[in-house]
Amino acid sequence: MRISILTCLYLYLDFKDDVKKLNEIPYTLPDGQQIFIGNERVRCTEALFHPGEYGFDEALGIQHLVCDAIAKCDSDLTKQLYSSIYLSGGSTMFSGFKDRLHSEVTKCSKVAGTSDISIRASENQLFLAWLGEMY
Protein backbone atom coordinates (compact mmCIF):
# COMPACT_ATOMS: atom_id res chain seq x y z
CA MET A 1 0.00 0.00 0.00
CA ARG A 2 1.37 3.40 -0.97
CA ILE A 3 1.00 6.19 1.58
CA SER A 4 0.72 9.80 0.44
CA ILE A 5 3.41 12.15 1.71
CA LEU A 6 0.64 14.52 2.89
CA THR A 7 -0.65 11.82 5.24
CA CYS A 8 2.84 11.11 6.61
CA LEU A 9 3.78 14.66 7.50
CA TYR A 10 1.99 16.69 10.11
CA LEU A 11 2.35 19.39 12.72
CA TYR A 12 1.97 19.16 16.45
CA LEU A 13 0.54 21.94 18.60
CA ASP A 14 3.38 21.38 21.07
CA PHE A 15 6.34 20.12 19.06
CA LYS A 16 8.84 19.60 21.88
CA ASP A 17 6.59 17.35 23.98
CA ASP A 18 4.69 15.52 21.25
CA VAL A 19 7.69 14.60 19.07
CA LYS A 20 8.85 12.21 21.82
CA LYS A 21 5.69 10.10 21.39
CA LEU A 22 6.14 9.59 17.64
CA ASN A 23 6.36 6.06 16.20
CA GLU A 24 8.14 5.13 12.98
CA ILE A 25 5.99 4.20 9.98
CA PRO A 26 6.93 2.57 6.68
CA TYR A 27 6.98 4.77 3.58
CA THR A 28 7.45 3.56 0.01
CA LEU A 29 9.60 5.76 -2.20
CA PRO A 30 8.68 6.28 -5.88
CA ASP A 31 11.33 3.72 -6.91
CA GLY A 32 9.65 1.07 -4.73
CA GLN A 33 12.21 1.13 -1.92
CA GLN A 34 10.66 1.11 1.54
CA ILE A 35 12.07 3.27 4.34
CA PHE A 36 10.94 3.95 7.87
CA ILE A 37 10.36 7.52 8.95
CA GLY A 38 9.92 8.75 12.49
CA ASN A 39 10.46 12.23 13.84
CA GLU A 40 11.35 13.44 10.33
CA ARG A 41 7.59 13.51 9.73
CA VAL A 42 7.24 16.50 12.03
CA ARG A 43 10.73 18.02 11.94
CA CYS A 44 10.48 19.01 8.27
CA THR A 45 7.09 20.67 8.76
CA GLU A 46 8.27 22.38 11.95
CA ALA A 47 10.64 24.43 9.77
CA LEU A 48 7.59 26.31 8.46
CA PHE A 49 7.11 27.80 11.93
CA HIS A 50 10.66 27.90 13.29
CA PRO A 51 13.09 28.09 10.33
CA GLY A 52 15.89 29.46 12.54
CA GLU A 53 16.18 26.08 14.27
CA TYR A 54 17.00 24.49 10.91
CA GLY A 55 19.70 26.87 9.71
CA PHE A 56 17.51 29.55 8.13
CA ASP A 57 18.45 32.25 10.62
CA GLU A 58 17.20 35.20 8.56
CA ALA A 59 13.80 33.66 7.77
CA LEU A 60 10.63 34.30 9.73
CA GLY A 61 8.14 31.59 10.57
CA ILE A 62 4.86 31.58 8.68
CA GLN A 63 2.97 32.84 11.75
CA HIS A 64 5.19 35.94 11.86
CA LEU A 65 4.71 36.53 8.14
CA VAL A 66 0.93 36.47 8.64
CA CYS A 67 1.05 38.78 11.68
CA ASP A 68 3.53 41.18 10.05
CA ALA A 69 1.46 41.40 6.85
CA ILE A 70 -1.69 42.20 8.83
CA ALA A 71 0.17 44.72 11.03
CA LYS A 72 1.27 46.65 7.93
CA CYS A 73 -2.35 47.17 6.87
CA ASP A 74 -4.65 49.93 8.03
CA SER A 75 -5.41 49.48 11.74
CA ASP A 76 -9.16 49.70 11.02
CA LEU A 77 -8.86 46.45 9.02
CA THR A 78 -6.77 44.46 11.51
CA LYS A 79 -9.63 42.69 13.25
CA GLN A 80 -11.33 41.84 9.94
CA LEU A 81 -8.10 40.48 8.46
CA TYR A 82 -7.42 38.26 11.48
CA SER A 83 -10.94 36.89 11.15
CA SER A 84 -10.45 36.12 7.43
CA ILE A 85 -7.29 34.02 7.10
CA TYR A 86 -7.62 31.46 4.29
CA LEU A 87 -5.27 28.54 3.70
CA SER A 88 -4.09 27.89 0.18
CA GLY A 89 -1.44 25.59 -1.27
CA GLY A 90 0.04 22.18 -0.67
CA SER A 91 2.02 22.94 2.50
CA THR A 92 -1.14 24.10 4.26
CA MET A 93 -2.66 20.66 3.81
CA PHE A 94 -0.43 18.93 6.35
CA SER A 95 -2.48 17.44 9.14
CA GLY A 96 -2.55 19.81 12.11
CA PHE A 97 -1.46 22.87 10.07
CA LYS A 98 -4.65 24.84 10.60
CA ASP A 99 -4.70 24.29 14.39
CA ARG A 100 -0.99 25.02 14.73
CA LEU A 101 -1.23 28.22 12.67
CA HIS A 102 -4.16 29.37 14.79
CA SER A 103 -2.18 28.72 17.97
CA GLU A 104 0.93 30.49 16.70
CA VAL A 105 -0.92 33.49 15.20
CA THR A 106 -2.76 33.88 18.51
CA LYS A 107 0.60 34.14 20.29
CA CYS A 108 2.10 36.73 17.93
CA SER A 109 -0.98 38.82 17.14
CA LYS A 110 -1.96 42.03 18.85
CA VAL A 111 -5.64 41.02 18.85
CA ALA A 112 -7.11 40.15 22.23
CA GLY A 113 -8.65 36.70 22.48
CA THR A 114 -8.60 33.75 20.11
CA SER A 115 -12.24 34.24 19.13
CA ASP A 116 -11.12 37.11 16.89
CA ILE A 117 -8.87 34.85 14.80
CA SER A 118 -10.47 32.64 12.19
CA ILE A 119 -8.50 30.39 9.86
CA ARG A 120 -10.41 28.63 7.10
CA ALA A 121 -9.56 25.93 4.60
CA SER A 122 -11.49 25.22 1.43
CA GLU A 123 -12.11 21.82 -0.09
CA ASN A 124 -10.11 23.19 -3.06
CA GLN A 125 -7.27 24.26 -0.79
CA LEU A 126 -4.57 22.69 -2.94
CA PHE A 127 -5.68 24.60 -6.03
CA LEU A 128 -7.02 27.88 -4.61
CA ALA A 129 -4.14 30.02 -5.83
CA TRP A 130 -4.37 28.48 -9.28
CA LEU A 131 -8.14 28.80 -9.48
CA GLY A 132 -8.19 32.35 -8.22
CA GLU A 133 -11.09 31.38 -5.98
CA MET A 134 -12.43 33.98 -3.57
CA TYR A 135 -15.01 33.83 -0.82
Side-chain angles (χ1 to χ4, degrees):
M1 176 176 89
R2 186 169 167 106
I3 300 173
S4 164
I5 195 70
L6 285 177
T7 60
C8 285
L9 303 176
Y10 54 93
L11 288 146
Y12 283 124
L13 284 176
D14 185 0
F15 175 75
K16 290 184 181 7
D17 286 337
D18 291 334
V19 74
K20 298 171 189 169
K21 305 172 195 169
L22 196 60
N23 295 323
E24 287 191 342
I25 63 164
Y27 180 76
T28 304
L29 298 172
D31 67 359
Q33 180 183 359
Q34 188 175 53
I35 61 171
F36 288 88
I37 54 176
N39 66 9
E40 300 88 353
R41 298 180 348 206
V42 291
R43 280 196 349 234
C44 65
T45 56
E46 186 65 18
L48 292 169
F49 292 92
H50 299 285
E53 294 180 19
Y54 298 92
F56 302 101
D57 298 326
E58 300 295 320
L60 294 175
I62 195 165
Q63 74 277 22
H64 296 293
L65 296 173
V66 170
C67 291
D68 289 351
I70 291 174
K72 290 178 182 176
C73 294
D74 186 41
S75 61
D76 293 340
L77 298 173
T78 302
K79 213 168 190 171
Q80 183 179 357
L81 291 172
Y82 274 113
S83 68
S84 302
I85 299 172
Y86 285 90
L87 301 181
S88 174
S91 295
T92 65
M93 296 182 66
F94 294 130
S95 179
F97 184 90
K98 181 180 170 184
D99 294 334
R100 176 67 181 277
L101 184 61
H102 188 278
S103 172
E104 296 287 342
V105 167
T106 300
K107 291 175 192 173
C108 75
S109 74
K110 308 293 187 266
V111 175
T114 59
S115 62
D116 296 332
I117 297 172
S118 176
I119 299 177
R120 299 180 184 108
S122 168
E123 60 189 40
N124 295 322
Q125 185 174 341
L126 182 60
F127 305 108
L128 276 181
W130 185 77
L131 294 172
E133 186 171 312
M134 290 184 68
Y135 292 100

